[in-house]
Amino acid sequence: MRAARLIKMVLLLQSRPSMTAAELAQELEVSERTITRDALALSEAGVPVYADRGRAGGYRLIGGYRTRLTGLARGEAEALFLSGLPGALRDMGLEDAASAARLKVSAALLPSLRDAPESAAQRFHLDAPGWYQEPETPPFLAPIAEAVWDDLMISARYRRGDTEVERDLAPYGLVLKAGVWYLCARSGTAFRTYRVDRFTAVARGEERFDRDGEFDLPAFWEDRATEFARSILRAEVVLRLSGAGARRLPYVTDRAAAEEALAGGAEDAEGRLTATLLVENEEVAFSQLLALGAEAEVLRPESLRARFAAAAEGLSALYR
């Protein structure tokens, strides 16, 4: 514990011209008295830590001292590439590894580039969850993430509807989509996708699995996401759209389905487009297409047209 703290203290001093005892204490989560003792211990071990006295004083390394401890470990290097997702790193239990990796990189940079991490952090930030959501960390995300990193098999129970199924899985990769975590895993010989928050039990095994060298996580996810999006569009709605309605349609419903409908539509003499749109169901179509107001007229099915007629009458009565 103390050895790790001393190493981190050296790396902090190596990455900055000077740091006060208070700054070091805050970074290392210890008291200033502990910082004084640690600085003395480093000095006795041959690390040239120098203490400047006075109000503007602090600790610094002298003589161009450079530690050889800046080499990145595999876990730290892998975590570094995810450092734009601090929440995701924390949820997967990789926050400490990423912090150590960033510190080592900062220590290895030229003095003129020492502000690069702060400069980038103040210019770019990724907030993955959607609006109006309070994302919850799935309870088994961390052990699953460890198994993914180490290529270890897991035994898991998974909630599917009202039942639970048991599976032995080879966890290939994790995907964070709109605040929801998904596991892409091999079950037997087939690759499948599982929502991590639906796991009710996970036990990490000791057996390692051999990765398929041709497996491409981004490509696999893109294919499955497209397949899923298409699979839930099981109903058809025939619409008559104004020019404004046609332009807005991709923003209120599935974009791919909207573009397909618009491409296959037929325009009448008044410039209105009649198109067939694939939708999830009548309820979803009603809530989505209601946003288009009078720019879209539902022609079929008759039951959905009747719902819009009733909604129009209700609005008319309300605003009359």
Side-chain angles (χ1 to χ4, degrees):
M1 181 84 176
R2 190 189 186 198
R5 188 176 70 243
L6 292 174
I7 291 171
K8 190 172 183 179
M9 183 173 175
V10 172
L11 292 171
L12 284 167
L13 293 174
Q14 188 171 305
S15 65
R16 306 180 194 180
S18 176
M19 294 184 71
T20 66
E23 290 171 338
L24 286 167
Q26 182 177 3
E27 288 278 358
L28 300 174
E29 298 180 347
V30 295
S31 67
E32 292 185 34
R33 185 185 295 270
T34 298
I35 293 299
T36 301
R37 289 197 299 264
D38 285 352
L40 180 60
L42 286 171
S43 181
E44 291 175 348
V47 178
V49 177
Y50 180 78
D52 288 317
R53 305 296 181 184
R55 180 176 299 178
Y59 292 93
R60 61 186 176 87
L61 294 173
I62 60 175
Y65 179 83
R66 308 290 293 177
T67 177
R68 295 176 179 268
L69 297 171
T70 53
L72 289 177
R74 170 175 287 275
E76 294 168 344
E78 290 168 335
L80 185 62
F81 288 101
L82 295 173
S83 59
L85 291 167
L89 284 168
R90 182 178 58 255
D91 294 345
M92 289 190 292
L94 297 172
E95 188 174 29
D96 290 343
S99 175
R102 287 192 294 268
L103 186 56
K104 289 182 178 182
V105 170
S106 295
L109 292 174
L110 294 172
S112 60
L113 300 177
R114 293 278 165 76
D115 65 339
E118 291 78 10
S119 176
Q122 294 305 317
R123 286 166 173 78
F124 301 100
H125 176 70
L126 177 61
D127 186 7
W131 290 105
Y132 315 118
Q133 296 181 20
E134 284 294 332
E136 295 184 1
T137 302
F140 297 105
L141 177 60
I144 290 174
E146 291 178 5
V148 168
W149 286 122
D150 296 334
D151 294 342
L152 288 173
M153 295 290 295
I154 60 173
S155 297
R157 287 206 308 271
Y158 185 77
R159 190 173 65 253
R160 180 175 292 168
D162 296 330
T163 63
E164 287 189 359
V165 297
E166 294 187 10
R167 293 286 185 271
D168 289 329
L169 301 174
Y172 268 64
L174 285 162
V175 175
L176 179 61
K177 170 71 172 179
V180 180
W181 285 97
Y182 296 86
L183 172 67
C184 301
R186 191 181 68 219
S187 176
T189 59
F191 286 95
R192 304 183 188 279
T193 303
Y194 303 86
R195 274 186 62 144
V196 175
D197 59 3
R198 292 181 183 167
F199 283 103
T200 58
V202 172
R204 194 177 68 163
E206 300 297 328
E207 177 188 354
R208 293 184 181 275
F209 64 89
D210 294 325
R211 276 184 172 268
D212 182 345
E214 296 183 358
F215 179 81
D216 185 329
L217 179 60
F220 173 80
W221 175 257
E222 183 177 357
D223 289 343
R224 289 304 170 93
T226 301
E227 179 183 316
F228 173 76
R230 296 291 296 179
S231 70
I232 63 175
L233 303 179
R234 302 186 180 94
E236 288 186 353
V237 174
V238 180
L239 301 170
R240 183 182 291 130
L241 299 159
S242 68
R247 288 191 296 272
R248 290 168 54 193
L249 184 64
Y251 298 97
V252 301
T253 187
D254 180 82
R255 179 175 290 273
E259 291 175 349
E260 184 177 314
L262 295 173
E267 193 171 301
D268 61 21
E270 297 177 356
R272 296 175 71 87
L273 187 74
T274 300
T276 300
L277 175 70
L278 288 174
V279 296
E280 187 172 345
N281 54 49
E282 189 172 304
E283 187 68 33
V284 172
F286 177 74
S287 64
Q288 292 176 337
L289 298 175
L290 194 62
L292 297 180
E295 305 300 332
E297 178 188 0
V298 173
L299 303 179
R300 292 190 299 276
E302 191 61 40
S303 57
L304 183 58
R305 180 179 175 86
R307 288 188 67 174
F308 273 95
E313 289 177 4
L315 286 170
S316 177
L318 182 64
Y319 288 101
R320 185 175 297 133

